[in-house]
Amino acid sequence: MIIVLKRGTDRKTIDEFSGALKRTYNVDVNEWQGVNETVLGLIGDTTTVDIGTIKAQDIVYSVKRVQEPYKKANRKFHPEDTVITLSNGAKIGGGNLTLIAGPCSVESESQVTEIAKAVKESGATVLRGGAFKPRTSPYSFQGLKEEGLSLLFKARQETGLPIVTEIMSEADIDLFSDVDIIQVGARNMQNFTLLKKLGKLDKPILLKRGLCATIEEWLMSAEYIMAEGNQQVILCERGIRTYEKYTRNTLDLSAIPIVKSLSHLPVIVDPSHATGHSWLVEPLAMASVAAGADGLIIEVHNDPPHALCDGAQSLTPEEFDKVAKKVTNIKSAL
Ligand code: PEP
Ligand code: MN
């Protein structure tokens, strides 16, 4: 961290300030005297230094971080890829390509089981399905909740596929004790109370990028979970809001190599929510794998026109099969 002091700050004040920085943050402080300004360089772990507090000091002209504010999620401190192993042996991260597929929402036993069997046949190793649904309108289908979770457990029993499903509130955490991967949706990426609770679990967390979140904010949310002890975080790029209206969101493909260089955590991509159109899922799934994604999470429905949620972006099982083949070929070509 670099701190530029205001012109004319006297020697005694500089020494007092440097001393306070050393004591408070347990860092070394280097000082450079320019012609007009004094610059202080903080050496050491500055993750706990609050930039706002430094800026608020009368003698400070400007402050700049040169180190990322996250530590546990940072590749600098953990150079090897994090690899998460699931109950069926599937691995997420570390050069594996993981295909997660299933309906937006669990609607019935036959729906979710039929889809689960089909996507497994096509190479998916994890089943997705929403039981608690975050909908923009309170009048839209809100999910089958507890019943949806039981139907997912049944589908897992039938197929052996581990399940990923979204939690919306910390109040529901006990209901998720038998879920393989808990999803934190885009709308809850900065629900810090929820993140801290999930950080106490010994269970993988799929953390979606917030609708308007920067990469750094997203990694800081991962840090919230990891700082509490849970290191099993999977990041999911699902598009961010831009001024483009053609697609539901804008898939930030550049986030894939950027996050993979900044962090050791696996990065998977959701081309369904990123685009909102089923015909765009295939090209963006291929592009994501080519850009280095560790996996994909894709919405698949056995009857998209009658889906209770997100039918327009859902692939049929046959379409998913085609996409699975193409992305697997791309992965092998890399
Ligand atoms: C979902 O995966 O069903 C979902 C609601 O996604 P997101 O949080 O990315 O909008
Ligand atoms: Mn959906």
Side-chain angles (χ1 to χ4, degrees):
M1 182 172 285
I2 305 290
I3 304 174
V4 180
L5 301 182
K6 285 184 187 158
R7 284 182 186 198
T9 306
D10 62 67
R11 183 73 261 153
K12 182 166 170 282
T13 314
I14 297 173
D15 288 343
E16 279 170 7
F17 184 51
S18 287
L21 290 170
K22 285 182 200 167
R23 281 193 306 279
T24 315
Y25 301 114
N26 196 24
V27 290
D28 284 333
V29 179
N30 279 355
E31 183 182 317
W32 296 276
Q33 278 294 342
V35 182
N36 298 310
E37 270 141 351
T38 302
V39 177
L40 303 179
L42 272 53
I43 319 281
D45 181 5
T46 57
T47 43
T48 61
V49 179
D50 180 40
I51 214 160
T53 307
I54 306 290
K55 272 187 193 153
Q57 307 308 307
D58 265 352
I59 58 167
V60 171
Y61 174 70
S62 68
V63 191
K64 192 169 167 49
R65 252 188 205 288
V66 288
Q67 213 177 54
E68 296 83 13
Y70 46 89
K71 197 171 171 187
K72 300 209 181 265
N74 199 325
R75 200 182 269 283
K76 274 186 199 153
F77 302 104
H78 186 300
E80 331 72 60
D81 284 351
T82 282
V83 182
I84 292 168
T85 306
L86 303 172
S87 57
N88 59 344
K91 290 185 189 308
I92 308 183
N96 300 287
L97 181 68
T98 309
L99 298 182
I100 305 174
C104 177
S105 307
V106 177
E107 298 170 10
S108 69
E109 182 172 347
S110 58
Q111 175 242 20
V112 69
T113 309
E114 194 179 305
I115 297 169
K117 285 181 180 161
V119 298
K120 182 183 178 185
E121 198 64 32
S122 302
T125 51
V126 183
L127 172 67
R128 67 147 286 148
F132 294 82
K133 293 303 303 174
R135 305 302 302 277
T136 302
S137 165
Y139 308 114
S140 303
F141 174 59
Q142 303 286 307
L144 295 180
K145 307 196 172 70
E146 286 96 324
E147 191 200 338
L149 291 178
S150 339
L151 298 180
L152 283 168
F153 298 145
K154 277 194 186 159
R156 177 177 61 192
Q157 207 168 17
E158 285 264 327
T159 58
L161 290 181
I163 52 175
V164 56
T165 190
E166 178 168 355
I167 190 164
M168 281 175 42
S169 159
E170 70 209 71
D172 298 330
I173 219 153
D174 291 339
L175 297 172
F176 283 68
S177 60
D178 200 22
V179 165
D180 300 274
I181 305 175
I182 301 183
Q183 173 174 325
V184 176
R187 289 151 192 86
N188 263 318
M189 187 203 83
Q190 284 189 320
N191 181 340
F192 299 122
T193 318
L194 176 63
L195 299 178
K196 282 185 184 179
K197 287 258 161 66
L198 297 173
K200 300 260 190 257
L201 304 181
D202 178 21
K203 199 184 268 302
I205 308 296
L206 177 75
L207 178 65
K208 289 196 146 194
R209 182 177 181 180
L211 285 89
C212 301
T214 64
I215 288 173
E216 189 166 291
E217 286 164 343
W218 185 21
L219 289 170
M220 288 306 280
S221 288
E223 191 77 10
Y224 260 92
I225 300 169
M226 299 173 87
E228 296 294 325
N230 187 354
Q231 309 304 302
Q232 301 178 77
V233 180
I234 303 154
L235 297 164
C236 177
E237 162 62 43
R238 43 79 73 207
I240 46 174
R241 183 161 284 183
T242 67
Y243 48 79
E244 179 51 62
K245 285 187 179 167
Y246 193 90
T247 47
R248 187 172 177 184
N249 292 289
T250 297
L251 180 60
D252 183 4
L253 278 174
S254 60
I256 305 163
I258 293 171
V259 173
K260 288 200 62 71
S261 76
L262 293 173
S263 177
H264 50 88
L265 297 173
V267 178
I268 68 156
V269 174
D270 177 344
S272 310
H273 291 91
T275 61
H277 299 280
S278 60
W279 71 276
L280 285 173
V281 170
E282 179 180 296
L284 289 171
M286 293 199 293
S288 301
V289 174
D294 295 296
L296 297 163
I297 179 165
I298 294 179
E299 286 188 342
V300 176
H301 199 285
N302 50 354
D303 184 10
H306 296 104
L308 294 183
C309 184
D310 287 349
Q313 68 195 30
S314 297
L315 302 186
T316 60
E318 296 72 32
E319 288 165 341
F320 175 71
D321 189 64
K322 255 181 68 204
V323 174
K325 287 198 169 79
K326 289 201 177 180
V327 295
T328 308
N329 285 339
I330 289 176
K331 181 69 184 173
S332 353
L334 285 176

